[in-house]
Amino acid sequence: MTRLITKAALLSACGMLVAVAAMAGVPSAGNSTSPAFIRVVGSASSVPDSIAGKFTVIVRDLGNATIANSFVTVDFSGCPDIKIGSNQLNANYTTNCTNRTVGAYTNASGVVGFTLLGSSWTAGTYAALSCAKIFADGTALTSPTVASFDLDGAGGVNASDLSLWLGDNGTHIYRGRDDYDANALVNAADLSLWLGENGTHRSSATAAVCP
Ligand SMILES: [Ca+2]
Ligand SMILES: [Ca+2]
């Protein structure tokens, strides 16, 4: 009996190993590292504002091995109040204005970094939490909330954005675009971050955006 159980356990373990082997190279949302909040940013002298905007995705498979050359896509099609830059100022990125996505490949360590140019605008409809999606080779990893310091999509980060932020805050309705510290709340801490960002002038130019 014991022997039978051992044999059954062994067969079962072999089956699992075969299953894991079959899933090697297929991205796993559970094992990958992908942000829950991101910020689209502007640039200064054609240098994207990576200090405010950079985030990293690490793609791993079911066996927790990193996946090189995995194509990671950030999809903004569910964010009506966010526009993405038509020129991301990065030769490694593929921008698809029709689908409202930006993609890039992971390196040999399964890592890809993004600093995405974009802005918000007076859309009439505003996203709350989790409007974007990050995919690796078509597998959904996370659905990040998207913030933007540039709220009117003009003139970089400037005083008119401050006015819009205050207006948003006054509605008492959560809009992800105003949430810079990524805590699912919009409050004075976010205002403080906006003021700090404005002071850096690193997003002093608004990117030309996809229609
Ligand atoms: Ca602005
Ligand atoms: Ca916040």
Side-chain angles (χ1 to χ4, degrees), residues 150-158 160-161:
D150 184 359
L151 295 174
D152 66 350
V157 177
N158 59 5
S160 52
D161 305 312

Side-chain angles (χ1 to χ4, degrees), residues 179 181 183 185 190:
D179 185 5
D181 63 357
N183 67 348
L185 298 169
D190 300 300

Side-chain angles (χ1 to χ4, degrees), residues 55-82:
F55 63 93
T56 299
V57 176
I58 307 171
V59 182
R60 300 185 187 89
D61 67 14
L62 200 64
N64 215 26
T66 55
I67 304 178
N69 296 313
S70 175
F71 192 65
V72 176
T73 307
V74 188
D75 180 346
F76 293 90
S77 61
C79 310
D81 56 341
I82 299 293

Side-chain angles (χ1 to χ4, degrees), residues 17-45:
L17 280 177
V18 168
V20 168
M23 296 300 276
V26 177
S28 155
N31 291 340
S32 297
T33 302
S34 182
F37 285 77
I38 61 177
R39 299 164 172 172
V40 293
V41 293
S43 63
S45 305

